[in-house]
Amino acid sequence: MTELTRRAALATTASALAAPWILPRSALGQQKPAKLRIGISTFLSGPASVFGVPGRNAADLLIEHLNAKGGIAGVPVEALVIDEAPGVNFLLGECRRLVQNENVDVMLASISSGSCLAVAPLAEELRMPNIMWDCGTQRIFEEGTWRYSVRTQANAVPEIVAPLLYLLKIRPDVQTVAVVNQDYAWGRDSWAIWKTAMEAIKPGIRVVAELFPKFGATDFSTEITRLQALRPDVVFSTSWGGELDTFIRQAAERRLFERSLFVLPLAESSLERVGKTLPEGVIVGARGDHWFLHPTARGNGRLDGFVAEYRKRYGAWPIYPTFHMAQALFALEAAYTKALAANGGVWPSREQLMDTLRGLEFDHLTGRMKIRPDGQGLEPMLIGVSKHVPEYPFPVLDQMVLFPPELTMNPMGTKGLDWVKGLTMETVAKAPAPIPYKA
Amino acid sequence: MGLLLLLAVLDGLAYAGQLFMVAVGLTLVFGVLKILNVAHGSLFAIGAYVAATLIGWFGAEELSLLALAIAALAVGALLGPSIERGLLARIYDKEHVLQLLVTFALFMILEDLQKLLWGVQPRFEDAPVRLLGQVEVGGIFYTAYQLLLLPGVALVALLLLVWFLRRTLLGRSIVAVTHDREAAVAIGIDARFVYLSTFTIGAGLAALGGALAAPTTSLVPGIGVQMIVLSFAVVATAGLGQIEGAAVTALLIGLARSLAVYFAPELEVVVPYLLMVAVLLIRPAGLFGRRELRRV
Amino acid sequence: MANRLLVAAAAALLLLLATAQPWLRFVLTIALSTGLAVLGIMMLLRAGQVSFGHALYVAAGAYTVAFLRPHSGEALLLVLAGAIVATGIGLLVGLFVTRYRDIFFGMLNLAFSMVAWSLLEKLYALTRGTDGIRVARPEVAGLALEGPAYEWALLLLALALALTSGGLVARYLRTPAGEALGAVKTRETRLEFAGISARRVLLQAYLASAALAGVGGAIAALATLHVTPLLAYWTHSGELVFVAILGGTGHVLGPFLGAVVFELVRVYAAASFPDAWQMILGLVLLGIILAATRGLVGLVDDLLARFGRRA
């Protein structure tokens, strides 16, 4: 009862301060809206638009499908897309506009870690349900608890631990490693996870070079010269987009792949563009449980239909951000459906929606995943090695291992960077059996 | 150690070649028009995109080098005059700040235009690099394209430019306008034509820089931004309007950068700027610049 | 007198906008913070000097707030600290760059801001790189505020600072030192014959501009509660100059008018054409330069003059 009055009081104050047309929806259930409005922040300009635009395309396609079958529980869905490239100042203003002026019901916020870290507190302040659709940093749920944010994918910890486990499984004799990462938060964080985990599992592997070319670099000649001189067993790089393409091409042109085994946890998103320049035998990751030829989901109508239609409309095979977008939208649909059922058909409040998202299990394009009570998604990790086949003009994945989250993700309440210190060769041994590529 | 140093020098040379191609056009245009063209980076990017598109159209590897040249010529000949006549000619009588901002506005417009024309997915056409194959130096493989062709073209461009400016009528007119516009006009030089041709050559050089860079790197939105700030540093360090100065400075920055990657990677990004501050501290008008007369 | 009325009307309009559209409170606060930085740019433009690196001082103010927030919970103190740190850096850099003019002045400022930008990205352990630093919401004048109340407090604080600084700068421009600033642009040597050090005059303006940018950056950090290195990037510096020209350099109202219009155009362009908002901003800028050299303030002036003639 006190809770109710306090909320009522809060609502009254808020409405007194705010203009009448943005009256916050009551904390209790409410009328079915005429439309479900989703705000999506993504990169529409700058280098990261290589992920942002496919993500937006996937949203367009999937929302069209949703609306064709009547929307979510009969409510048609509408997306409002904003560009996160101009920086945090602009993004936060845009989020406010979407929530306070456009009456957006849910935000699907952001790709860059900086954006995600800034939006989470704003979501609390505005009581704005926020699904982090492509945020990588593990810091979000390790350093804060958020009532109004969940993440419908894994995070940097499993994305790096899985390829490491894969490497040590197929090449336990590795002696030397070099890293070439982009010089920004993700490049530094991912290397910290890899290095810490590697030292725990197999102490004695020597790091011969730590190269951090500047973010947005267009030339890696100098780095490649150094790597040729040092001849490390393994070259690790979490670069992405144009930079990864350039690095792969320049490395191939200068025959670096003949000297070192490459581990590229984000290369799935570059495969089609670099084509068979990327040789066979490179360890490739996809930031989660997805690939357009996913070994266990292939043949299910959902994935194949999406892939065919996406390819037809946008002229490219879907890459991981499209799957991340799909996960966010499928989670949203599942949460509304579940909350409506639990609410006796009454449209759920924002809080009810968030409560339902936590602990939710939902089906997406390539499988089924779960959101932990702290808001973190639990997603398997698909890792494989590149293989050239006649069916495609670019490499496909072979010997794929689907690492379950139990093996690669730190438990709730722990910090990823501490947790990886407890990894051992036994963890490596627990990796599931590889699945070969089938034409 | 000796080998390492040699490798660093080779890497630096290739990089310097690329940097020079962009900076020289910028400094040439500044020398005559007195406008620091922020959109120069966009011309670089458009040259790169057009080159990649042409390589794709031509298909055959043997034709790919031709595609680079055609791209540079086409972009220079089409965009150069239209920007100069359509836009810059209207603002020659305005303040420097306004002129600078007109090119800034142009840069913003061209950035989005590239995105609309070529999309956001990285493009990569490396046929010219494959065509020329590899060179081995001390057990290290280089591509002939980056080790020989890029610095070679830069050197040829430098020599041609110097010859053009010293030995041809148009070139001498350009030099005359650079030194003293009023006097040049007084002796009958058509300043309008000099402006037009200088900007077109500058645009062509930017596009050539882009076309040459295209086979070595992925073309992504924002690629022009990266190049332009660095070229500013080259131009200011060299002294404004100094062609040979731009070459020496590009070489200095290229070498300093690759040495930084080898021996102090943390400094890689700031090296050009530190160099610029140091040079201007000692020579306030740049390495090769002359002090302008002060207005009374 | 007419000037004061104009300023009062602008401030009232701003508050009205913020009341009618709650989401605009944040956008307008950011616009005012930009306007403060641009006010400093405007002083330098009076001297004919354009800095392509003032984002450095915006970032200095913002990061000062982020670094000091764990030690101080008072917004007013944090803003003051931001101004002091920015002025300090401005003194170090200013002593050097005020020896240069025109393009060298611009490029040196650019160089320093680029060095600062890469430091903010490189010193990962200290600055968390591109992820940036979160700023916990502080108290404002001893009051612990939340939600709309905090937004209002910041907007009013920004407005008060804008009015004060605008007034001070307007007064300064009318003093001999302020008049000398204009002489740096046109007849610097004569200034020196008259026994006035052009460098000292320029340095004064430079310090003021650094302080103003620092205050602007601090306000922006308090509004977004998150700072990233992008604040120091050269395109941000370019935006500041853009706004200065957009608003017009003829009146201290110009920077603020320019900043508000800039933010609003950007927001609406981004909402209507998410893929081409940069192009629209570029076209607006071109239009202003080609059609109305004196910026928005000049336009307003012309309108008022025409209105006055008719009345």
Side-chain angles (χ1 to χ4, degrees):
Chain A
M1 193 58 208
T2 45
E3 185 62 22
L4 247 179
T5 27
R6 205 197 310 155
R7 279 210 180 119
L10 234 149
T12 329
T13 338
S15 59
L17 281 164
W21 59 83
I22 61 122
L23 258 178
R25 301 226 165 101
S26 141
L28 295 173
Q30 60 203 343
Q31 289 273 308
K32 223 179 216 190
K35 241 181 199 172
L36 186 70
R37 289 161 77 86
I38 305 178
I40 299 176
S41 81
T42 181
F43 277 95
L44 297 177
S45 51
S49 52
V50 301
F51 295 141
V53 171
R56 193 257 314 261
N57 291 345
D60 287 348
L61 192 71
L62 291 164
I63 288 174
E64 224 170 84
H65 279 229
L66 263 177
N67 287 338
K69 57 167 196 173
I72 293 180
V75 180
V77 177
E78 185 189 11
L80 291 90
V81 183
I82 53 177
D83 189 1
E84 66 174 281
V88 168
N89 284 358
F90 178 73
L91 177 64
L92 295 186
E94 285 290 273
C95 286
R96 282 186 159 89
R97 178 176 66 83
L98 289 185
V99 174
Q100 297 181 324
N101 198 45
E102 302 282 352
N103 291 320
V104 155
D105 300 273
V106 186
M107 275 300 296
L108 265 53
S110 301
I111 294 181
S112 102
S113 304
S115 305
C116 297
L117 291 166
V119 169
L122 181 71
E124 301 297 301
E125 191 184 317
L126 299 176
R127 294 177 53 241
M128 167 187 82
N130 174 30
I131 297 181
M132 299 176 173
W133 71 275
D134 195 45
C135 301
T137 176
Q138 75 276 14
R139 285 170 56 199
I140 293 175
F141 291 102
E142 286 183 358
E143 294 177 6
T145 49
W146 309 108
R147 174 93 173 84
Y148 291 94
S149 292
V150 295
R151 164 154 55 193
T152 49
Q153 46 144 130
N155 65 34
V157 175
E159 284 166 16
I160 298 306
V161 169
L164 175 64
L165 297 181
Y166 192 99
L167 168 73
L168 293 174
K169 193 171 164 84
I170 64 166
R171 282 281 299 275
D173 57 333
V174 170
Q175 309 262 315
T176 51
V177 173
V179 59
V180 184
N181 274 3
Q182 290 149 306
D183 195 5
Y184 79 115
W186 161 251
R188 297 273 175 183
D189 280 348
S190 58
W191 172 239
I193 296 168
W194 175 281
K195 198 176 170 188
T196 316
M198 187 173 76
E199 277 163 3
I201 301 174
K202 232 181 152 273
I205 298 182
R206 218 152 39 86
V207 176
V208 292
E210 297 180 66
L211 304 173
F212 289 89
K214 71 169 181 193
F215 183 77
T218 53
D219 179 51
F220 300 95
S221 309
T222 317
E223 284 79 11
I224 290 169
T225 307
R226 280 202 68 187
L227 292 177
Q228 290 200 61
L230 291 165
R231 296 174 182 251
D233 294 340
V234 169
V235 172
F236 168 73
S237 177
T238 59
S239 304
W240 49 262
E243 285 158 87
L244 178 60
D245 296 7
T246 305
F247 183 54
I248 289 174
R249 297 270 187 164
Q250 295 185 341
E253 280 154 5
R254 298 176 60 186
R255 299 162 65 173
L256 189 57
F257 284 101
E258 294 167 17
R259 297 188 173 177
S260 303
L261 169 62
F262 276 61
V263 181
L264 306 172
L266 266 73
E268 175 262 358
S269 56
S270 284
L271 289 178
E272 189 181 353
R273 292 192 306 264
V274 295
K276 289 182 177 168
T277 304
L278 184 79
E280 294 194 318
V282 170
I283 297 178
V284 170
R287 280 197 74 200
D289 179 26
H290 25 58
W291 181 39
F292 78 101
L293 297 171
H294 192 282
T296 56
R298 247 174 112 180
N300 92 18
R302 216 177 193 179
L303 174 66
D304 298 350
F306 172 77
V307 168
E309 209 182 331
Y310 186 93
R311 163 122 172 104
K312 200 173 136 211
R313 188 180 299 188
Y314 302 111
W317 298 102
I319 52 172
Y320 82 73
T322 68
F323 292 95
H324 278 167
M325 179 54 78
Q327 279 157 232
L329 288 170
F330 281 117
L332 188 67
E333 185 190 10
Y336 268 116
T337 315
K338 188 176 170 194
L340 269 165
N343 222 10
V346 179
W347 194 256
S349 68
R350 297 171 177 197
E351 288 71 20
Q352 283 170 329
L353 175 69
M354 292 318 296
D355 292 343
T356 317
L357 275 165
R358 275 160 223 284
L360 182 74
E361 268 193 60
F362 63 98
D363 290 308
H364 54 95
L365 292 171
T366 55
R368 189 172 177 79
M369 63 173 286
K370 197 179 166 182
I371 301 174
R372 234 164 40 179
D374 63 349
Q376 173 61 53
L378 294 173
E379 184 187 11
M381 285 288 141
L382 174 87
I383 309 287
V385 293
S386 57
K387 177 187 173 76
H388 292 179
V389 294
E391 302 91 88
Y392 294 95
F394 51 87
V396 295
L397 300 185
D398 190 23
Q399 301 302 321
M400 288 165 277
V401 176
L402 280 165
F403 289 91
E406 305 81 65
L407 224 51
T408 54
M409 173 71 114
N410 52 313
M412 204 159 74
T414 60
K415 297 218 171 195
L417 213 47
D418 297 331
W419 175 79
V420 295
K421 289 178 191 151
L423 293 173
T424 59
M425 275 312 269
E426 275 168 48
T427 330
V428 178
K430 281 191 208 147
I435 312 170
Y437 169 79
K438 274 203 244 29
Chain B
M1 187 66 200
L3 179 66
L4 263 191
L5 214 56
L6 172 72
L7 296 177
V9 168
L10 292 179
D11 286 326
L13 272 179
Y15 188 78
Q18 280 201 1
L19 193 53
F20 169 74
M21 293 305 297
V22 190
V24 72
L26 193 70
T27 202
L28 184 69
V29 168
F30 186 88
V32 175
L33 281 66
K34 304 284 180 254
I35 292 179
L36 195 66
N37 180 17
V38 181
H40 199 73
S42 311
L43 293 169
F44 168 88
I46 292 174
Y49 270 112
V50 171
T53 311
L54 286 182
I55 293 173
W57 280 355
F58 286 8
E61 253 180 36
E62 293 73 29
L63 294 176
S64 58
L65 287 172
L66 188 66
L68 302 184
I70 295 177
L73 283 175
V75 172
L78 286 177
L79 284 183
S82 38
I83 292 174
E84 200 274 340
R85 283 291 107 196
L87 200 58
L88 301 183
R90 290 163 204 269
I91 53 158
Y92 287 138
D93 55 339
K94 298 215 160 132
E95 280 180 51
H96 285 324
V97 188
L98 295 180
Q99 295 174 340
L100 193 72
L101 275 181
V102 163
T103 65
F104 189 69
L106 187 64
F107 153 77
M108 294 174 93
I109 295 169
L110 290 178
E111 278 299 293
D112 271 357
L113 203 65
Q114 284 161 47
K115 219 171 60 184
L116 294 176
L117 285 176
W118 286 286
V120 299
Q121 288 301 315
R123 283 177 174 245
F124 207 120
E125 296 288 350
D126 60 353
V129 177
R130 276 185 277 124
L131 181 69
L132 296 180
Q134 297 131 350
V135 181
E136 203 185 323
V137 180
I140 308 291
F141 290 107
Y142 281 94
T143 65
Y145 187 89
Q146 277 187 295
L147 194 64
L148 305 175
L149 187 91
L150 281 184
V153 172
L155 190 64
V156 170
L158 171 67
L159 294 176
L160 271 179
L161 261 177
V162 171
W163 172 81
F164 167 74
L165 292 175
R166 299 225 173 109
R167 301 271 173 245
T168 64
L169 188 61
L170 178 59
R172 287 178 178 187
S173 312
I174 291 178
V175 174
V177 174
T178 311
H179 284 287
D180 191 335
R181 192 185 159 203
E182 279 87 22
V185 173
I187 59 166
I189 290 173
D190 179 359
R192 208 179 102 109
F193 182 67
V194 166
Y195 278 34
L196 176 67
S197 27
T198 308
F199 190 81
T200 306
I201 295 171
L205 283 168
L208 181 60
L212 286 171
T216 67
T217 190
S218 303
L219 307 182
V220 290
I223 189 170
V225 184
Q226 300 281 346
M227 221 52 218
I228 191 66
V229 206
L230 208 52
S231 323
F232 282 170
V234 175
V235 171
T237 312
L240 304 167
Q242 301 297 321
I243 309 286
E244 295 92 337
V248 174
T249 310
L251 204 57
L252 276 178
I253 289 184
L255 291 179
R257 177 184 165 275
S258 73
L259 287 175
V261 174
Y262 278 84
F263 304 109
E266 296 302 311
L267 289 181
E268 183 204 331
V269 182
V270 293
V271 151
Y273 306 106
L274 295 181
L275 202 66
M276 168 175 162
V277 169
V279 166
L280 292 186
L281 199 59
I282 302 162
R283 294 188 60 88
L287 271 182
F288 294 81
R290 284 176 309 269
R291 278 221 104 135
E292 266 187 59
L293 291 176
R294 300 176 83 190
R295 281 164 303 208
V296 180
Chain C
M1 194 59 212
N3 262 341
R4 278 207 192 144
L5 270 177
L6 200 65
V7 171
L13 187 67
L14 190 96
L15 291 177
L16 202 69
L17 265 177
T19 317
Q21 295 281 24
W23 63 277
L24 276 181
R25 280 195 295 267
F26 173 81
V27 176
L28 290 173
T29 310
I30 293 293
L32 286 175
S33 77
T34 308
L36 281 163
V38 175
L39 190 62
I41 300 271
M42 186 192 102
M43 294 173 74
L44 296 174
L45 281 176
R46 283 288 179 99
Q49 305 306 316
V50 50
S51 162
F52 253 88
H54 259 53
L56 161 64
Y57 303 109
V58 175
Y63 270 87
T64 304
V65 168
F67 283 132
L68 289 186
R69 176 61 190 90
H71 311 292
S72 162
E74 174 52 55
L76 299 179
L77 277 180
L78 291 171
V79 172
L80 183 66
I84 292 172
V85 171
T87 317
I89 298 175
L91 181 64
L92 290 178
V93 177
L95 279 172
F96 177 56
V97 298
T98 50
R99 290 166 46 191
Y100 300 82
R101 296 290 178 272
D102 302 326
I103 220 74
F104 287 107
F105 179 84
M107 288 303 112
L108 278 172
N109 275 295
L110 175 76
F112 280 108
S113 77
M114 289 303 284
V115 170
W117 169 73
S118 39
L119 284 181
L120 289 178
E121 289 212 328
K122 286 266 179 194
L123 301 178
Y124 187 67
L126 201 63
T127 63
R128 310 238 54 160
T130 41
D131 273 3
I133 307 173
R134 217 166 91 62
V135 180
R137 191 188 295 118
E139 297 179 347
V140 185
L143 300 169
L145 304 169
E146 270 188 51
Y150 179 77
E151 287 179 23
W152 269 117
L154 263 195
L155 178 64
L156 292 174
L157 174 63
L159 186 60
L161 285 168
L163 289 172
T164 327
S165 336
L168 286 174
V169 170
R171 185 165 300 179
Y172 173 79
L173 290 176
R174 286 194 299 269
T175 63
E179 300 280 355
L181 210 51
V184 173
K185 176 175 174 179
T186 46
R187 345 165 257 282
E188 183 171 343
T189 316
R190 267 192 234 173
L191 200 64
E192 307 238 311
F193 288 155
I196 301 170
S197 159
R199 200 177 150 202
R200 172 175 285 178
V201 168
L202 191 57
L203 183 60
Q204 277 177 7
Y206 195 84
L207 287 180
S209 72
L212 285 168
V215 172
I219 297 277
L222 291 173
T224 53
L225 299 175
H226 195 95
V227 297
T228 63
L230 207 58
L231 285 167
Y233 198 53
W234 77 274
T235 45
H236 188 218
S237 296
E239 270 171 30
L240 297 178
V241 182
F242 178 142
V243 171
I245 298 301
L246 180 69
T249 54
H251 191 280
V252 289
L253 203 55
F256 301 99
L257 189 61
V260 169
V261 170
F262 175 82
E263 291 292 342
L264 291 182
V265 169
R266 182 157 79 164
V267 163
Y268 282 105
S272 328
F273 307 95
D275 287 304
W277 57 270
Q278 263 200 107
M279 185 183 286
I280 292 170
L281 276 182
L283 289 171
V284 168
L285 182 61
L286 267 190
I288 286 282
I289 294 177
L290 295 179
T293 320
R294 290 184 301 138
L296 293 170
V297 156
L299 280 181
V300 172
D301 228 28
D302 292 347
L303 275 180
L304 287 180
R306 198 174 300 173
F307 184 73
R309 230 178 290 140
R310 231 176 263 165

